[in-house]
Amino acid sequence: MISYKSKYILKSFINIHNRVNLSAAAENSVEKWDLITAVCLERKPVIAPEPSKMEKEFQDYLSDLELRNSLKNDFELRNESEIKKIELLKSGEVDLDSDVTLKQTAQDFIDASTEEAMSFKLAGRTTANENNNRSLNRKLDKHLVLLVKQKIGNVHHYLLPQGPRQEGETLRQAAERILKTNCGNEIKAQIYGNAPAGFYKYKYPKSLRTEGCTGAKVFIYFARYLQGHLPNKDVDYLWLDRQELAKTLPKEYGQSINQFLVDE
Amino acid sequence: MLTCWKVISNMKGSAGVSNFALNYFTKRNIFLGRVDNIQRSQVLWAEPMKKKKRIDPAVVKAREERRKKKLEKQIRRLERNAQQLKPIDECEIPLNITDERDIRKRENVPLPENVLENRAVLQKMWSIYKQDHHLKDIKMLDRIMFSQQKALDQLRLESEEFYQEAIQTDFHLIPFSSQGPVQTPAIDNYEPPDGDYLDISKKWE
């Protein structure tokens, strides 16, 4: 972080220095950049991640501690008294009491409840779509980021949905438009704030530099997926977790995106 | 009207007033006569005053008294309630539990020495673990904020106007709310058992 800052300060210093020395001619040859807006659409994890070994151990310790320090509840007292009564009956010290035999004992209740709990099936942590990276119903405990196939120059890349800003709109409005045109109307997302979360810039190849445009500055907005799905046709897209992102994206691009994504 | 004419004709005779001034005074339709020439008609919609109903002073007094009492009662009720706080049931230990404390006590088997030792170690490890966790969080937040600042700096280099628009507060996000994640995922096509939720919590006025 410090190194970036010092580099940045140094750079701006050099810029000022150059401008002073090279007079007005330098002003005209200031680099021009295309402004591009991109949206990083992320799905939050649906389920909490598996607790670590340390977390599990500490959890067990705390629950044991809590049990030891607690008082017995009414149900436990009832269960104990019933057990005592049954023992007394067996030893024949007390006459048979019809009340006890008819009603459901505490132990019966525990058994019935356990059986009911066992028969209830929870949904699994993994789904059938685990390897289908176009599905949102996968890797439930991970963050998933949307990539869309786009043509940059002559090559197709999987990148964050992006596009140039149009006349008369702010960058934030451009981000909303890009999300709509790339992902259709069915998907709902919330862009977080008016300010871009990340930044990436690249230079065009020398042959493509026109009208003094040296390259593009990409301003990346962060958006949270809310609901809905992408259209199955038309768009070629992927929902990827952090590791898959690192593999799929160009290295430097991936790094600048990782800058503003939360750790897993 | 007459007087006015006189003045003007006099002026004309003596000082030679211009035609403009003459036209000005004669063409205006303002009443320049004496004020007591104007008369007003009587006010016609007045009616004789009604006879005031006489009320027994005792009744008036009683009425006053009742009103006063009512107000006092309200004030008293407000004062009483101001002292009384809404009880929090969860924080009050029921009386029967304090009475039966001896019956309800658990007979815990004392833990062996090595288990206690392990637990002490575990607690220390846990605090280190959480400290690392916290440091990581702070580093992460720092990284994210730095990334945003870098983007904003670059935006400012390009256009001051865009920068000013970007640093505006987004009021759609306030107040912020977020749900999840949960422990287990939702079951597909799950039909919950029938029934309604009934709110049985006490109402306090």
Side-chain angles (χ1 to χ4, degrees), chain A residues 19 50 59 123 169 228 234:
Chain A
R19 263 184 219 175
E50 205 74 73
Q59 178 66 59
E169 58 181 7
D234 309 337

Side-chain angles (χ1 to χ4, degrees), chain A residues 44 64 72 74 172 261, chain B residues 104 119 143 147 170 179:
Chain A
K44 243 181 12 176
D64 183 63
K72 285 177 192 163
D74 289 348
R172 162 78 189 259
L261 292 179
Chain B
R104 288 174 185 269
R119 285 186 170 191
R143 192 191 74 212
S147 166
D170 185 355
Q179 282 191 341

